[in-house]
Amino acid sequence: MLLNLEKISKSFNIPGSDRVITVLNDLDLMLEGGKTTAIFGPSGSGKSTLLNIISALDRPTSGKINFNNSDLTTYDDNALSDFRNKQIGIVFQQHHLLPQLNLLENILLPTLPDVSRASIEAKRERAMKLLNRVGLTERIFHYPSELSGGEKQRCAVVRALINTPSLLLADEPTGSLDQNAAVGLIDLLLELNSEEQVAMIFVTHDEPLMKSVSDKYRLISGELVKL
Ligand SMILES: Nc1ncnc2c1ncn2[C@@H]1O[C@H](COP(=O)(O)OP(=O)(O)OP(=O)(O)O)[C@@H](O)[C@H]1O
Ligand SMILES: [Mg+2]
């Protein structure tokens, strides 16, 4: 099992009051390596909160997160950053590319913590291979402002994959795209799932877009209901 969430709860304090809201409530989720999962749910149901916890950007209020049989809730902040950099790729609704860097530089950013010469060369080669795979070879020296929305998201996908993560998280990756570009991006992600042997979790409002994932869930009242 790649990922096993056990009884995850997450509450937030409401600023200026002593009330808390509970967004995730004893939630369980299992994901095998290389598989794909889609999570649907209305706005405010806690989908992004759940992804933030899986990617260790945020900690749960209670519960256990087993990743490859290690319990992430026992890691300190440095260990969590290292875990995230090596094991997790994230694609957001907006591309989050840095405007002052060209595409190749944006993609190589997550490789900076590893400074060995051999690694730098291997990562550059991998960047070129992935950029070719998503049809952006001719764009490597362009800046994000010079690309279409779909091209920026494809670049964000390459950046998420550059360190060969075992899990890619996509939080409404098509949210800023028109229908054609959205379908193209999902097809590309599903192809990369098998080519790269990387497990994926998609979060979306758009149920029809997710035809061929291994598992589907709806997030309701802080829990996942299998569809
Ligand atoms: N840091 C925070 N502090 C307080 N409340 C928060 C915080 N982060 C999220 N929430 C609340 O938790 C709930 C779930 O938010 P979340 O962003 O996870 O929803 P979502 O399902 O991703 O919604 P959307 O589909 O609109 O992106 C919301 O009510 C939100 O206001
Ligand atoms: Mg969200």
Side-chain angles (χ1 to χ4, degrees), residues 12-13 15 21 23 41-50 171-172 205:
F12 293 108
N13 295 312
I21 51 165
V23 177
S43 182
S45 57
K47 304 181 298 297
S48 296
T49 301
L50 176 58
D171 194 353
E172 305 202 37
H205 295 283

Side-chain angles (χ1 to χ4, degrees), residues 32-106:
E32 281 175 49
K35 298 276 179 165
T36 50
T37 292
I39 296 172
F40 309 104
S43 182
S45 57
K47 304 181 298 297
S48 296
T49 301
L50 176 58
L51 284 205
N52 287 343
I53 286 173
I54 294 172
S55 61
L57 288 167
D58 200 359
R59 291 176 188 270
T61 309
S62 61
K64 275 191 181 170
I65 310 167
N66 288 298
F67 197 96
N68 272 335
N69 296 321
S70 303
D71 182 1
L72 296 187
T73 52
T74 64
Y75 284 25
D76 66 17
D77 288 351
N78 282 339
L80 279 183
S81 300
D82 188 55
F83 158 79
R84 197 181 316 118
N85 182 255
K86 295 202 169 105
Q87 301 285 344
I88 305 279
I90 311 180
V91 179
F92 297 96
Q93 176 168 357
Q94 301 292 337
H95 52 86
H96 292 288
L97 299 171
L98 294 182
Q100 65 275 39
L101 299 183
N102 69 34
L103 289 204
L104 186 58
E105 291 164 342
N106 263 290

Side-chain angles (χ1 to χ4, degrees), residues 44-226:
S45 57
K47 304 181 298 297
S48 296
T49 301
L50 176 58
L51 284 205
N52 287 343
I53 286 173
I54 294 172
S55 61
L57 288 167
D58 200 359
R59 291 176 188 270
T61 309
S62 61
K64 275 191 181 170
I65 310 167
N66 288 298
F67 197 96
N68 272 335
N69 296 321
S70 303
D71 182 1
L72 296 187
T73 52
T74 64
Y75 284 25
D76 66 17
D77 288 351
N78 282 339
L80 279 183
S81 300
D82 188 55
F83 158 79
R84 197 181 316 118
N85 182 255
K86 295 202 169 105
Q87 301 285 344
I88 305 279
I90 311 180
V91 179
F92 297 96
Q93 176 168 357
Q94 301 292 337
H95 52 86
H96 292 288
L97 299 171
L98 294 182
Q100 65 275 39
L101 299 183
N102 69 34
L103 289 204
L104 186 58
E105 291 164 342
N106 263 290
I107 285 160
L108 291 173
L109 261 190
T111 71
L112 291 182
D114 185 357
V115 291
S116 67
R117 187 85 231 138
S119 160
I120 289 168
E121 272 160 31
K123 289 289 163 64
R124 205 185 151 90
E125 223 167 88
R126 177 163 167 78
M128 295 306 294
K129 178 183 149 242
L130 285 168
L131 280 162
N132 186 42
R133 173 65 187 80
V134 305
L136 288 174
T137 300
E138 291 181 350
R139 302 298 211 145
I140 58 172
F141 298 122
H142 281 78
Y143 290 84
S145 63
E146 299 168 327
L147 300 184
S148 73
E151 288 168 339
K152 281 186 269 217
Q153 280 305 65
R154 267 144 54 206
C155 182
V157 168
V158 172
R159 184 186 49 188
L161 292 174
I162 189 69
N163 283 338
T164 43
S166 37
L167 176 60
L168 183 134
L169 303 174
D171 194 353
E172 305 202 37
T174 62
S176 62
L177 304 180
D178 68 29
Q179 189 66 15
N180 265 344
V183 171
L185 188 78
I186 295 300
D187 287 347
L188 176 68
L189 283 166
L190 290 171
E191 286 163 21
L192 287 166
N193 157 250
S194 59
E195 288 167 27
E196 295 281 319
Q197 290 301 303
V198 53
M200 295 188 176
I201 299 180
F202 298 95
V203 155
T204 174
H205 295 283
D206 192 351
E207 223 167 308
L209 206 55
M210 295 289 150
K211 292 180 290 278
S212 28
V213 290
S214 324
D215 294 299
K216 299 183 188 193
Y217 298 90
R218 181 164 291 125
L219 184 52
I220 284 181
S221 309
E223 287 181 87
L224 288 172
V225 179
K226 191 144 196 190

